[in-house]
Amino acid sequence: MFQNLINELEFFQDKNKAKILQRFFKTWVWEYGEWDIFLWITVPILRKLAKKYKDLSVDDLEKLLQSNIHEQRFLALCIIRLNYEEWKTEKKYFFELSLKNISSINNWDLVDTFVPYVIGDFLKKNGNISLLYEYVKSQNLWIKRIAIMSTFAFIKANSFDDTIKICELLLADKHDLIQKACGWMLREVWKRDEKILINFLEKYHKIMPRTMLRYSLEKLDKEKKDYFMGRR
């Protein structure tokens, strides 16, 4: 089964277009996606393959997760998410498998399409939120993004405290991928309770990184945007 999957990935790849993704995902030396290799396989195809190979063994899943080929890791995470969502009694198993291989969740699309739906969902339902506060202290860009993006699951359940606290802890973070993630999650809070975002902005807009502020303000009316941007 594993070799058949690898053969299918090779069949669907487009090496010429893959060069575009190498630039888009910052894969050159010292960039955040250093050494990541892309095949240019579309997400719909990868999701279709995930359904086809969702019974792949754990050993084979971990082979995919350890690959430096981006789509192999993406596919493995799709399969884990599918199984997590389908199995009512095995959610802890797939959550722990995710944590065991957390170093493989190492680009923004991998974090954003997987973490809220497995790691965030499990923590929301089973507690131990302290794990996210450990992740916030990490020097690793992706671990910190996992911390804030996990809270998307909480936001969807109308629980906002941890999103706000983690954004406060990340106010001084200089990486734009952390600032964008925080701004995005603050915007998601706004969709459900505008007052919470406004209170956060009143308190922190002068010291928030500009990218975080801009992302959080994206859906507000022009008057409110101008108010907070103009008072920096």
Side-chain angles (χ1 to χ4, degrees), residues 32 35 64 66 72 106 125 150 168 173 194 196 214 223:
Y32 66 71
W35 309 123
L64 294 176
Q66 290 158 15
Q72 289 191 16
N106 58 355
K125 293 172 179 173
S150 291
E168 288 174 336
D173 197 281
E194 181 174 356
I196 293 175
R214 183 166 49 84
E223 184 179 351

Side-chain angles (χ1 to χ4, degrees), residues 43-70:
V43 170
I45 288 174
L46 290 170
R47 293 197 187 283
K48 198 172 288 186
L49 290 173
K51 290 178 181 177
K52 183 175 180 179
Y53 291 97
K54 75 181 182 68
D55 295 325
L56 205 66
S57 73
V58 172
D59 285 346
D60 287 340
L61 279 174
E62 291 190 320
K63 285 180 193 174
L64 294 176
L65 287 167
Q66 290 158 15
S67 172
N68 61 348
I69 296 175
H70 190 89

Side-chain angles (χ1 to χ4, degrees), residues 209-221:
R210 192 172 184 84
T211 299
M212 187 190 298
L213 178 61
R214 183 166 49 84
Y215 267 61
S216 68
L217 292 172
E218 193 171 281
K219 300 295 183 180
L220 271 66
D221 60 56

Side-chain angles (χ1 to χ4, degrees), residues 65-217:
L65 287 167
Q66 290 158 15
S67 172
N68 61 348
I69 296 175
H70 190 89
E71 287 86 350
Q72 289 191 16
R73 301 197 309 283
F74 190 102
L75 179 58
L77 293 171
C78 283
I79 292 171
I80 293 171
R81 178 178 165 183
L82 267 178
N83 280 284
Y84 176 86
E85 291 173 343
E86 288 184 9
W87 285 84
K88 295 192 185 324
T89 58
E90 299 294 333
K91 291 189 184 297
K92 184 178 180 182
Y93 175 81
F94 291 109
F95 168 75
E96 290 177 345
L97 179 64
S98 305
L99 295 192
K100 178 185 174 186
N101 293 280
I102 202 160
S103 62
S104 298
I105 311 174
N106 58 355
N107 218 313
W108 58 263
D109 62 324
L110 304 181
V111 174
D112 298 355
T113 59
F114 178 78
V115 165
Y117 309 96
V118 178
I119 294 175
D121 182 78
F122 186 86
L123 291 174
K124 172 176 69 71
K125 293 172 179 173
N126 297 277
N128 195 23
I129 307 301
S130 60
L131 179 67
L132 300 184
Y133 291 92
E134 292 175 26
Y135 285 177
V136 169
K137 299 173 189 174
S138 174
Q139 296 302 305
N140 183 289
L141 164 65
W142 307 118
I143 298 297
K144 284 190 286 189
R145 188 165 173 120
I146 285 168
I148 183 59
M149 288 305 302
S150 291
T151 72
F152 200 177
F154 308 168
I155 294 169
K156 290 177 180 178
N158 292 315
S159 176
F160 312 126
D161 287 352
D162 291 294
T163 301
I164 297 301
K165 289 174 184 174
I166 288 174
C167 284
E168 288 174 336
L169 292 170
L170 292 171
L171 278 171
D173 197 281
K174 298 188 183 307
H175 203 291
D176 70 323
L177 288 177
I178 298 299
Q179 296 173 18
K180 288 175 180 177
C182 288
W184 175 14
M185 290 303 99
L186 289 169
R187 193 169 71 239
E188 292 297 329
V189 170
W190 166 82
K191 288 179 182 178
R192 295 154 176 89
D193 192 328
E194 181 174 356
K195 188 181 292 186
I196 293 175
L197 174 61
I198 298 300
N199 289 342
F200 185 92
L201 294 175
E202 288 284 6
K203 190 173 182 181
Y204 295 115
H205 71 278
K206 290 185 179 180
I207 63 170
M208 286 172 73
R210 192 172 184 84
T211 299
M212 187 190 298
L213 178 61
R214 183 166 49 84
Y215 267 61
S216 68
L217 292 172

